[in-house]
Amino acid sequence: MTTTTAPMTSTVAREIMYREAINEALRQEMERDETVIIMGEEIAGGAGREHLGIVDAWGGPFRTTVGLIQQFGNQRVLDTPLSEAAFVGAAIGAASTGMRAVAELMFVDFIGVCMDQLLNNAAKMRYMFGGQVKVPFVLLTRIGAGFGSAAQHSESFYSIFSHIPGLKCVVPSDAYTAKGLLTAAIRDDDPVIYFEHKGLYGNRGPVPEEPYVLPIGKARTVRPGSDITLVGISRMTWVCTEAADELAKEGVNAEVVDLLSISPIDYDHVIESVKRTHRLVVVDEDTPVCSIASEICARVAEEAFEYLDAPPSRVTAPHTPVPYSRPLENIYLPNASRVINTVRRLVNG
Amino acid sequence: MDLDQKTLLNLYKTMTTIRHFEERGIPETGQRQMSASVHSSAGQEAVPTGVCAHLTVDDYIGSTHRGHGHCIAKGVDPKLMMAELFGRATGTNQGKGGSMHIADMSKGMLGTNGVVAASVPLAVGAALTSKLRKLGRVAVAFFGDGGANQGVLHESMNLASVWKLPVIFCCENNGYAESTPVEYGLSVANVADRAAGYDMPGFTVDGMDVFAVYEAAGQAVARARAGEGPTLLECRTYRFYGHTVFDNPLSYRTKEEEDIWRARDPLKQFRERVVPEGIITAEELDRLDQEAEDLMEEAIRFADDSPMPELSELYQDVYVDYPLDMMRRGVNMAD
């Protein structure tokens, strides 16, 4: 589907929350295209109790799907049993036979129970079948620690998905990118994994009321600078800008790149920046081994080695599960002070 | 027998085409592609034949690693299948799938599948498409006795039941999950017993008898088309060969057992039943056998005469739209 893409930032007057931007993209795409369906656990809630006057009891676990069932009915907004393998697989089957199917996986940590459908069917069908099929399937899922939810409800392991050929992966960082990238994901003819960050749902920002599409695979610079490139992913973009504001007081002018897509990755955008700043720190909430942060550092080392004044570096979660207790979770998460310390070492070293 | 002559001839034609494809195609593939991942369904022909006889080209099926029979019964061209097994550009999948991924979307054939029971939810999803778009199509999810113990099958049966989807869950119980006997891995006497857990009808039929399969599948398909929901149909059958071309089945089963099942060969049983009744002559069936044999020779020639895929195909159809650069950048391909 060809669509003109919107600019990478917005200055319109209307401000809505990240959560509302997701809801608006879903609603507008369901209005626009009657083949769009969405299924998942508790996406309406209290399913099957219309006779008791219960409809949309929850509006989604994080209220990103609120109101959809009232507008589109329970044949297009399908609450599912707790059966991720079946409904993710069924969404892929529906997508390969003429629907645009969106499935919601409540937390990315739950991927283990349905990974096979994603890995062996969604990602590979088009290739294995010699191009006979399109799989316009979107998996909405949630990432992010910092909420005391412990090891099985807090992961950010998006890197394992970007490792899989056949999948596209996007990581919106604010309300504007949330709407534009979800609209793009639903209109895309390939399977797209869309990672919502739990820590961003309440963030407000300027969002146009009409539908618009942001290109999947394009990064954006959210803060220009000349001394070092900080690459952020999802919420970490705002950790980078917080660090950059502090660093500016010390006379260090950091550029912040918001990656937005982790498959494909906009390597050229990052490399162009590093060629000007000569230094790189990637800030990634995911764990470090085989991570997006590692990937970007490797790519920059290979393709811009002679431009570098310091080793490409990473600020990430440690190679541990997400801990429960507050002080442990606090040190687990990358934050501005860790970024600042890393930058100081690279700039002054 | 209340089937007309044309239906009977079609049933036999499908079975003998499958048999000839397995008997000729698999050894020929071994000589060319040396693939360990080809699984013969010889012996099991009555199941896809009896089930798919009730389907139109628009209906859907999801298949297994032992799926050549499903493909042929659903109308996929054996010439294109042979080319696929030989890894040729003219294959059903342009040589990029092979035996375990043969698909023909134009025939509602959603792919043979290399992961046990993995195609089951795809069939459920296709049935959902049919229901939501009011297409009147049904979907058959084929799986084996090994697949009967996969979680995704059970989730899928539950989902199809609560959503009343037009699905037929068809278990080809051939007695062995690779080398593991069905009685070791299955908690119940019959796979179909599990239908009760999902509030759907369950039947166990003789999968070596195409008439038994045809009759039971007819009921299941009619129920699905009427919007009454799914059925679990278990067909007791037997594979005449090992799990793949490389294992020796006598390492886990007896010659006596094989002989008993071979004596119940579905093609042979068909002859023994139909010819004495005078509906069809032995010569007519011989002619269908000969046509199948000729078709395989033609398919092998077609496949051998077909080109291999262009090397640039490596990067094609990973996505509908994705930067080629991202697939090869930094990997130091030898070009």
Side-chain angles (χ1 to χ4, degrees), chain A residues 75 81 83 85-86 90 94 96-98 117 121 126-128 130 132 166-168 190 263-265 268 299 303, chain B residues 92-94 96-97 101 103-105 110 113 118 121 125 129 132-133 155 159 314 316-317 319-322 326 329:
Chain A
Q75 295 298 289
S83 307
S96 59
T97 50
Q117 290 301 316
N121 286 338
R126 181 174 176 78
Y127 191 77
M128 295 191 300
Q132 287 183 70
L167 302 180
K168 295 175 179 172
D190 290 310
S263 179
I265 294 174
D268 291 336
R299 189 71 63 181
E303 298 188 19
Chain B
T92 47
N93 306 24
Q94 300 180 18
K96 286 161 80 172
H101 308 302
D104 187 344
M105 299 302 286
L110 307 174
N113 204 301
T129 297
L132 296 180
R133 302 186 83 170
E155 289 191 19
L159 189 68
L314 177 64
Q316 298 305 308
D317 294 323
Y319 298 86
V320 175
D321 181 25
Y322 199 82
M326 293 289 150
R329 188 166 179 170

Side-chain angles (χ1 to χ4, degrees), chain A residues 158-239:
Chain A
Y158 36 65
S159 59
I160 61 172
F161 301 90
S162 67
H163 190 69
I164 299 172
L167 302 180
K168 295 175 179 172
C169 305
V170 294
V171 276
S173 60
D174 62 9
Y176 179 70
T177 54
K179 182 174 171 182
L181 286 172
L182 182 49
T183 304
I186 294 170
R187 294 184 192 180
D188 202 285
D189 284 334
D190 290 310
V192 182
I193 319 298
Y194 180 93
F195 297 93
E196 305 170 14
H197 196 294
K198 300 193 282 287
L200 295 173
Y201 281 130
N203 284 22
R204 287 182 169 277
V207 176
E209 289 183 37
E210 68 277 8
Y212 59 94
V213 165
L214 292 179
I216 293 174
K218 292 293 176 204
R220 62 175 181 170
T221 298
V222 293
R223 187 188 202 284
S226 53
D227 298 332
I228 188 163
T229 300
L230 304 178
V231 174
I233 301 166
S234 185
R235 192 177 75 79
M236 291 299 112
T237 299
W238 312 118
V239 169

Side-chain angles (χ1 to χ4, degrees), chain B residues 64-78:
Chain B
T64 70
H65 57 287
R66 199 175 308 285
H68 302 159
H70 308 136
C71 297
I72 290 169
K74 193 62 176 65
V76 182
D77 186 339

Side-chain angles (χ1 to χ4, degrees), chain B:
Chain B
M1 199 160 313
D2 52 4
L3 298 180
D4 62 38
Q5 193 188 44
K6 182 161 172 277
T7 304
L8 289 169
L9 286 171
N10 278 336
L11 290 174
Y12 189 81
K13 182 179 175 185
T14 301
M15 289 201 294
T16 192
T17 304
I18 297 170
R19 174 65 55 86
H20 280 83
F21 187 88
E22 303 293 36
E23 301 285 17
R24 284 289 282 127
I26 289 176
E28 296 288 336
T29 300
Q31 288 171 25
R32 290 164 181 78
Q33 181 79 14
M34 297 295 290
S35 173
S37 298
V38 183
H39 307 80
S40 173
S41 70
Q44 303 185 186
E45 293 87 349
V47 182
T49 300
V51 171
C52 293
H54 296 284
L55 305 182
T56 73
V57 70
D58 292 328
D59 291 318
Y60 302 105
I61 66 167
S63 171
T64 70
H65 57 287
R66 199 175 308 285
H68 302 159
H70 308 136
C71 297
I72 290 169
K74 193 62 176 65
V76 182
D77 186 339
K79 278 164 59 184
L80 305 186
M81 290 171 60
M82 195 72 76
E84 186 60 31
L85 263 58
F86 287 15
R88 308 293 162 145
T90 55
T92 47
N93 306 24
Q94 300 180 18
K96 286 161 80 172
S99 170
M100 288 198 292
H101 308 302
I102 298 170
D104 187 344
M105 299 302 286
S106 73
K107 301 279 168 43
M109 203 296 161
L110 307 174
T112 58
N113 204 301
V115 178
V116 170
S119 73
V120 171
L122 297 181
V124 170
L128 179 64
T129 297
S130 175
K131 185 182 178 189
L132 296 180
R133 302 186 83 170
K134 301 182 170 58
L135 301 174
R137 300 174 185 169
V138 304
V140 179
F142 286 104
F143 59 98
D145 49 290
N149 299 323
Q150 285 280 13
V152 71
L153 168 72
H154 291 265
E155 289 191 19
S156 296
M157 288 199 290
N158 184 64
L159 189 68
S161 183
V162 298
W163 284 354
K164 274 205 176 329
L165 296 178
V167 185
I168 296 89
F169 294 93
C170 182
C171 178
E172 295 175 303
N173 180 349
N174 68 15
Y176 295 89
E178 304 197 40
S179 75
T180 302
V182 59
E183 68 273 15
Y184 177 86
L186 192 73
S187 61
V188 286
N190 307 293
V191 173
D193 294 347
R194 289 176 166 170
Y198 305 103
D199 193 29
M200 66 175 79
F203 303 103
T204 301
V205 301
D206 180 359
M208 305 303 270
D209 177 355
V210 73
F211 303 111
V213 175
Y214 182 88
E215 188 184 338
Q219 290 176 34
V221 171
R223 176 179 149 83
R225 283 208 204 282
E228 293 166 14
T231 299
L232 173 56
L233 174 62
E234 176 189 13
C235 304
R236 291 286 179 87
T237 183
Y238 201 77
R239 58 167 147 82
F240 287 170
Y241 298 96
H243 171 62
T244 69
V245 291
F246 287 111
D247 77 298
N248 173 14
L250 292 177
S251 66
Y252 51 83
R253 65 189 195 189
T254 64
K255 183 74 172 53
E256 292 69 32
E257 180 187 287
E258 289 191 352
D259 290 344
I260 290 167
W261 283 93
R262 277 199 179 262
R264 307 192 57 245
D265 183 326
L267 282 80
K268 183 163 154 279
Q269 285 199 70
F270 184 99
R271 275 182 183 265
E272 289 167 359
R273 196 148 151 207
V274 171
V275 173
E277 291 192 27
I279 312 165
I280 297 172
T281 63
E283 289 70 30
E284 281 174 296
L285 299 181
D286 291 344
R287 179 177 56 79
L288 290 174
D289 287 339
Q290 185 61 50
E291 282 176 12
E293 195 178 321
D294 294 345
L295 177 60
M296 293 315 136
E297 296 311 318
E298 187 190 339
I300 290 164
R301 267 198 313 277
F302 168 76
D304 275 337
D305 290 346
S306 294
M308 289 294 183
E310 297 290 336
L311 295 184
S312 61
E313 273 295 314
L314 177 64
Y315 308 103
Q316 298 305 308
D317 294 323
V318 182
Y319 298 86
V320 175
D321 181 25
Y322 199 82
L324 176 64
D325 177 57
M326 293 289 150
M327 295 180 218
R328 2 177 336 134
R329 188 166 179 170
V331 300
N332 296 308
M333 293 294 290
D335 58 359

Side-chain angles (χ1 to χ4, degrees), chain A residues 39-41 80-81 83-92 103-104, chain B residues 155 159 163:
Chain A
M39 61 181 85
E41 295 160 0
T80 66
S83 307
E84 290 87 352
F87 79 72
V88 169
I92 295 162
E104 181 180 293
Chain B
E155 289 191 19
L159 189 68
W163 284 354

